[in-house]
Amino acid sequence: MAERAVTASTPIELVHEVYGRLAERVAAGRAKEGRALTLTEKILWNHLDDPSTAGTERGRSYTDFRPDRVAMQDATAQMALLQFMTAGLPQVALPSTVHCDHLIQAKVGADIDLKFAEDVNSEVYEFLRTVSAKYGIGFWKPGSGIIHQVVLENYAFPGGMMLGTDSHTPNAGGLGMVAIGVGGADAVDVMTGFPFNVRYPKLIGVHLTGELSGWTSAKDVILEVARVLTVSGGTGAIVEYIGPGANSISATGKATICNMGAEIGATTSVFAYDDAMARYLKSTGREAIADAATAVAHDLRPDDEVLANPAAFYDQVIEIDLSTLEPQINGPHTPDLAHKLSEVGAHAKENGWPLEISSTLIGSCTNSSYEDITRAASLARQASAKGLRAKTQLLITPGSEQVRATIERDGLLADLEAIGGTVLANACGPCIGQWERPDMDPSTPNTIVNSYNRNFPKRNDGSANTFSFVASPDTVIAYALAGTLDFNPVTDTIATDSGELVKLEAPVGEELPAKGFDPGEDTFVAPSALGAGVSVAVSPTSDRLQLLEPFAPWDGNDYVDLPVLVKAQGKCTTDHISAAGPWLKYRGHLENISGNLFLGAVNAFTGEAGQGKDQLDGTTKSLPDIAKHYHEAGQPWIAVGDQNYGEGSSREHAAMEPRFRNGKVILVRSFARIHEANLKKQGMLPLTFADPTVYDEIGEDDRISVLGLADLAPDVPLRCLLTKPDGTTIEFLANHTFNDEQITWFKAGSALNLIRQRFAS
Ligand code: MIC
Ligand code: SF4
C-alpha cells in the first residue's frame, strides 16, 4: 500500500526506481521481440507486470501493466472513488491525485466564478477532499487548474506511465510519458493494487521533418493528423512522434499534440525525451528529473534502427513536413473536419455555416501554455498598437494557477484584456458546457472559434445551433480581431475604425518565462497522515452524491426478445449518451445522472434526439424516461449504434447509466476504446455487428435476442436473432472482444464485484 507520501510533484525516488530497471527491461524487450524497439515499446516493457509471461502481440494480446501514478479530475473522480470505497481498503496502492477543474462554471470572470463554484459544489468538493485525505490521495483544490496542465507541470516525467480518468490524459506525452485515459473502474483496479490490463497497442509513427514557423504552431500538427486519421483512425494504437521536426516543438507544444490525440481515438501519444523537455522540467523546478532522464536518454527514444527505417517498426507511418504545413481550423461538430485558413470562408459559405463569429475562446487543457499565451499576446499587442479590438467576445481560461500567475506577472493578460478579453477561472469552463451565455438565444445559429480539442454539437454552451471550430490560440485571436470566418490572417487585412487596413505579422512566442514561473497560490492539499480517522460523509438525501449498490450478477440466461431502446444514428459520442454541462452536477449520483441517458442521441427511428417509443405502453417519451420505465418494470433492453460509438470522453457514466437502467447489450458497428472498456467493466455486453448492414434491418418494434451466453468465449461470435413484429426472424452474428478474465466480470455483474469479493474473502 502507499509507501510513499503523495506530494505536490513526482518524487525523484519514483523516477530513479523507473529508470533503475529501464536498461534491463529494454534489453529483455529487444531479446523477446528479436529486433530494435520503438520508444513506446521501451516504456511499455518497463511497465509490464510480468515481463517473463506478458503477451506483446500488437492489437491481440491483453497485457498487464504497472503504471506509476493515477490522476483523477473532479467530474470522474467522484464515481471512481465511490467505487474505490466499496473495496474497503485503507489506502490507495499507488500515488494518486484528484484535481478540481470541471465543475467550475464560466459566467462573469475568474474570481466570482471560482467563489460561486466553491459554494454550489461545496458538498462534492468536501467529499473529494475527505476521501483524498482518508485514502492517501493528493488533492488539488478548485482554482489550481486543469488536471492535464497540473500533471504536466508537476507529475509527468519522461519514460513514466500513468492512468488518468479523463480522455486527454495523453497530454503528458509531451513530457515523454505513456499516459492513458481510462474510466474510473480501470483506475480502481490499480488503486486497489491490481495491474492495468489493456490490449497491447498497435503503433502509428508520425514522422516530422522541417520546422514550425510563422502562423503554423503545434496545434496545426494535430489538426492535420486528425484530418489524415479521422476520429477513429487511432483506435487501439499509440501514436509516436519521431523525426528531426520534433526538436523544433516545445514540450508544451508536444503536449498539445498528444492531448488532442484523444480526438483520433488513440490510446495515447508520445514524444522522445529531448532538450525541449529538459528545458521545461528545469523551468518547472524539476532539474533532478531532467538530469536523471538525460543520464538514460538513449532509452527514452526509439532505437537508431527504428529511426532509420520507421516503416519496418510501426504499423503505419504518416509523414508531415512542418515547413510546409499550413495553419488549419477544424469543425464544426467534429474535430477531424479540417480546413486551411485560406479555404474555411469558402467552405462556410458552401455549407451555410454562419460566417460571423459570435465568440472566441482560448485556453483549455490543450492550449494554455506560457508559449501559447505569449504568441496570442503578441498578436494582441500588434492589434492594440493599431487601434484594433476584438470584434467578438474573447474569453481566456488559463490552464493552471502557475500559468495564470506567470502570465499576469508578465503583463500578458493585460495585453489580452486590452483588446477586450475576459479572463475566466483556471478550469475547463466553456470547454465542457460550463458556460452561461445569457446573450445568445439557443435558437440562433452562430459560429464560435476556440483553441479547445472537442467540438461536438451542444458541447460548449448546450446549443445545437452553435457551430464550434477548433484552431491554435494564435488563429483564434486573429479571428477574434477579424470577427468573421471569411478571413485568412496570412494574407488578408483587417480595417480599423478609422478605415486603416492592418495586416497582422505572424505571432511570436516565448517557450518559457525568462523570469521563471510564478507558482501563484498554493492549491495542493497533501493527504492526512491519520487517514483512517478521517470520516467521509455521503448524505442519504443528497442529490449530488449516492453510495453505489453492486450490480446484480448475470442470471445465467440468454437475453431474449430485448426491445431496442434507441437505434443511434450517426455520431453517438459520450456527450450524446451522457451529456455534460448542467448534468456535471450529478456525476456522483448514478440515479440522478441517469436522467440524461441518450438525450443527445439521434434516434434513427424518429430522426429526433433523445426521443423514442416505449414498447411497454406504446407512447413516445424521452429516452431516459423509457429506460427508467423498463428498469422499474424489470424489462431488460438493448441499444443499437453506428460507427465509433462512445467516441470522446472517458466518463464511465455513459456505461453505468445503461447498466443501472437495466440495459444489457450495446450493439454497434464499432466502438471507441475507452467506452468499450467501460461497458465491459460495468457488466454490459458490448457487441459489434459481424455484418454491419444488419444495422439497417433493425426496426423500431423489433426485438433482439443474444443467444449462447453460457458459452461466451474469447474470439467466438455470439448468435443473435432479430424478431420482426410479424414474427419473422433474421439470424445474425455479433462479435465481441472479451478475454477470459473479462468474461468473469460479465458473469459477476461487474469487474468491481470481483474486486469486492476478493477483498471480502
Ligand atoms: C471531456 O473533455 O470530454 C471531459 C469532460 O474532460 C471528459 C471527462 C468527463 O466527462 O468528465 C474526458 O475527456 O474524458
Ligand atoms: Fe477540461 Fe476540456 Fe480538457 Fe476535457 S478537454 S479536460 S473538459 S479542458
Side-chain angles (χ1 to χ4, degrees):
M1 296 291 123
E3 303 96 20
R4 305 180 193 93
V6 177
T7 50
S9 67
T10 287
I12 186 69
E13 295 75 25
L14 192 156
V15 178
H16 282 316
E17 199 178 301
V18 173
Y19 293 170
R21 58 172 197 259
L22 182 59
E24 191 192 318
R25 288 291 187 95
V26 167
R30 282 198 202 105
K32 161 93 187 298
E33 311 290 357
R35 56 169 171 76
L37 296 183
T38 62
L39 168 64
T40 305
E41 290 170 306
K42 292 181 181 183
I43 302 175
L44 293 180
W45 265 87
N46 198 24
H47 289 85
L48 287 176
D49 179 43
D50 181 354
S52 60
T53 58
T56 57
E57 196 188 331
R58 293 183 194 172
R60 290 268 341 136
S61 313
Y62 276 102
T63 312
D64 280 342
F65 294 97
R66 291 282 173 185
D68 305 311
R69 309 196 61 91
V70 168
M72 294 163 278
Q73 45 89 344
D74 50 4
T76 50
Q78 296 171 62
M79 208 43 100
L81 292 170
L82 284 164
Q83 294 177 77
F84 175 81
M85 283 164 66
T86 67
L89 292 181
Q91 290 265 292
V92 289
L94 81 174
S96 307
T97 48
V98 163
H99 303 260
C100 296
D101 54 1
H102 279 64
L103 301 179
I104 302 169
Q105 196 183 23
K107 197 170 170 190
V108 188
D111 294 343
I112 296 175
D113 292 348
L114 184 59
K115 289 210 173 63
F116 183 73
E118 282 165 348
D119 189 29
V120 294
N121 300 316
S122 61
E123 181 187 4
V124 170
Y125 291 150
E126 189 56 13
F127 167 73
L128 292 173
R129 192 187 63 76
T130 50
V131 176
S132 300
K134 187 173 180 68
Y135 297 109
I137 299 169
F139 179 72
W140 289 83
K141 291 193 272 195
S144 53
I146 307 171
I147 177 170
H148 311 304
Q149 289 304 319
V150 177
V151 165
L152 194 73
E153 288 169 358
N154 301 285
Y155 294 118
F157 65 94
M161 181 176 189
M162 68 175 283
L163 301 186
T165 59
D166 190 282
S167 67
H168 293 106
T169 303
N171 192 69
L175 266 186
M177 195 169 206
V178 164
I180 302 182
V182 294
D186 275 309
V188 169
D189 281 351
V190 297
M191 289 192 295
T192 51
F194 293 97
F196 168 58
N197 185 273
V198 71
R199 208 163 227 179
Y200 203 83
K202 294 195 170 190
L203 295 183
I204 298 175
V206 179
H207 187 241
L208 302 174
T209 51
E211 218 173 294
L212 288 174
S213 65
W215 282 92
T216 311
S217 72
K219 183 65 163 275
D220 300 302
V221 176
I222 185 62
L223 295 178
E224 170 67 4
V225 171
R227 182 188 72 77
V228 174
L229 283 177
T230 78
V231 288
S232 58
T235 308
I238 293 187
V239 182
E240 190 171 314
Y241 289 84
I242 53 172
N247 299 334
S248 72
I249 306 175
S250 64
T252 50
K254 290 178 167 90
T256 296
I257 295 170
C258 294
N259 174 301
M260 215 183 140
E263 272 48 72
I264 53 164
T267 301
T268 192
S269 305
V270 69
F271 277 85
Y273 178 62
D274 67 358
D275 288 347
M277 291 188 198
R279 288 194 296 274
Y280 184 74
L281 283 167
K282 288 178 188 164
S283 159
T284 49
R286 292 173 289 172
E287 184 118 25
I289 296 185
D291 292 344
T294 303
V296 295
H298 55 285
D299 278 334
L300 297 175
R301 62 171 175 252
D303 285 334
D304 291 344
E305 295 89 323
V306 175
L307 295 175
N309 184 14
F313 294 89
Y314 298 94
D315 299 283
Q316 182 180 357
V317 177
I318 297 169
E319 294 284 343
I320 298 182
D321 178 358
L322 302 177
S323 301
T324 57
L325 183 68
E326 281 187 44
Q328 287 185 190
I329 178 167
N330 290 18
H333 302 329
T334 185
D336 55 355
L337 184 55
H339 319 273
K340 293 180 179 159
L341 299 192
S342 52
E343 292 171 357
V344 65
H347 292 174
K349 283 180 209 157
E350 278 160 32
N351 290 286
W353 306 324
L355 285 175
E356 192 189 328
I357 300 168
S358 65
S359 186
T360 48
L361 309 94
I362 61 173
S364 95
C365 62
T366 326
N367 269 124
S368 52
S369 65
Y370 189 78
E371 184 181 41
D372 286 334
I373 304 293
T374 49
R375 284 174 67 94
S378 80
L379 292 173
R381 282 195 300 275
Q382 282 185 50
S384 293
K386 302 280 186 184
L388 280 178
R389 275 177 72 84
K391 294 200 171 60
T392 71
Q393 181 184 46
L394 170 62
L395 302 174
I396 302 123
T397 39
S400 70
E401 168 59 6
Q402 175 162 288
V403 162
R404 187 209 57 75
T406 309
I407 59 180
E408 181 171 49
R409 179 200 65 195
D410 292 352
L412 305 170
L413 282 182
D415 292 337
L416 293 166
E417 282 167 342
I419 59 162
T422 301
V423 180
L424 304 174
N426 311 323
C428 300
C431 182
I432 191 55
Q434 292 281 56
W435 185 21
E436 212 181 282
R437 292 182 87 183
D439 50 338
M440 178 53 67
D441 180 336
S443 64
T444 312
N446 74 101
T447 289
I448 64 172
V449 182
N450 60 65
S451 73
Y452 305 165
N453 43 30
R454 270 185 195 142
N455 52 4
F456 305 143
K458 295 194 184 175
R459 176 159 172 110
N460 302 107
D461 58 2
S463 164
N465 286 310
T466 294
F467 293 72
S468 172
F469 291 82
V470 293
S472 73
D474 333 329
T475 303
V476 174
I477 296 289
Y479 282 107
L481 295 166
T484 169
L485 276 186
D486 197 11
F487 173 71
N488 178 4
V490 186
T491 52
D492 298 350
T493 54
I494 307 171
T496 65
D497 286 348
S498 59
E500 191 196 339
L501 294 180
V502 177
K503 170 121 173 5
L504 297 166
E505 298 291 326
V508 278
E510 283 164 62
E511 180 184 351
L512 293 162
K515 288 191 245 161
F517 280 104
D518 177 341
E521 277 182 40
D522 185 5
T523 48
F524 177 74
V525 185
S528 167
L530 307 167
V534 177
S535 66
V536 176
V538 174
S539 159
T541 56
S542 169
D543 70 344
R544 301 280 309 255
L545 296 165
Q546 183 185 45
L547 292 174
L548 289 172
E549 292 294 328
F551 293 130
W554 176 58
D555 66 5
N557 294 314
D558 282 344
Y559 294 147
V560 177
D561 285 340
L562 304 180
V564 183
L565 176 77
V566 59
K567 175 165 141 177
Q569 178 186 303
K571 227 186 211 335
C572 189
T573 72
T574 44
D575 282 280
H576 295 79
I577 305 168
S578 174
W583 291 94
L584 282 173
K585 63 174 173 290
Y586 296 128
R587 283 293 187 87
H589 197 296
L590 183 54
E591 186 170 348
N592 284 351
I593 200 161
S594 296
N596 76 1
L597 180 57
F598 287 123
L599 276 182
V602 176
N603 194 347
F605 302 137
T606 63
E608 272 183 63
Q611 297 280 319
K613 180 166 158 190
D614 184 332
Q615 293 292 339
L616 296 183
D617 61 19
T619 60
T620 299
K621 289 190 190 133
S622 82
L623 293 171
D625 282 348
I626 302 173
K628 183 166 185 253
H629 187 199
Y630 289 173
H631 180 201
E632 285 166 359
Q635 172 64 59
W637 51 269
I638 184 172
V640 174
D642 208 326
Q643 304 278 11
N644 207 24
Y645 177 92
E647 172 185 342
S649 140
S650 67
R651 63 191 75 145
E652 62 196 328
H653 307 75
M656 293 178 91
E657 293 175 32
R659 179 74 174 100
F660 172 69
R661 286 300 186 205
N662 211 19
K664 301 291 181 198
V665 185
I666 308 288
L667 173 63
V668 302
R669 283 184 161 139
S670 65
F671 282 107
R673 172 190 64 90
I674 307 179
H675 186 61
E676 184 186 19
N678 288 345
L679 287 166
K680 287 184 191 171
K681 283 269 173 195
Q682 301 299 340
M684 296 284 295
L685 206 52
L687 302 179
T688 52
F689 295 102
D691 169 4
T693 62
V694 174
Y695 171 94
D696 300 316
E697 304 291 328
I698 298 171
E700 187 168 33
D701 300 324
D702 297 357
R703 301 276 174 143
I704 297 177
S705 302
V706 182
L707 307 171
L709 287 178
D711 300 322
L712 180 62
D715 300 322
V716 182
L718 283 165
R719 210 161 54 78
C720 302
L721 211 58
L722 178 68
T723 306
K724 296 278 166 196
D726 65 4
T728 53
T729 58
I730 301 173
E731 225 186 285
F732 64 97
L733 290 178
N735 295 325
H736 66 82
T737 59
F738 280 95
N739 64 13
D740 285 320
E741 188 193 337
Q742 294 164 352
I743 291 171
T744 64
W745 307 343
F746 168 70
K747 293 191 171 158
S750 72
L752 185 62
N753 284 353
L754 283 176
I755 293 183
R756 284 191 185 107
Q757 283 165 21
R758 283 186 205 161
F759 286 115
S761 58

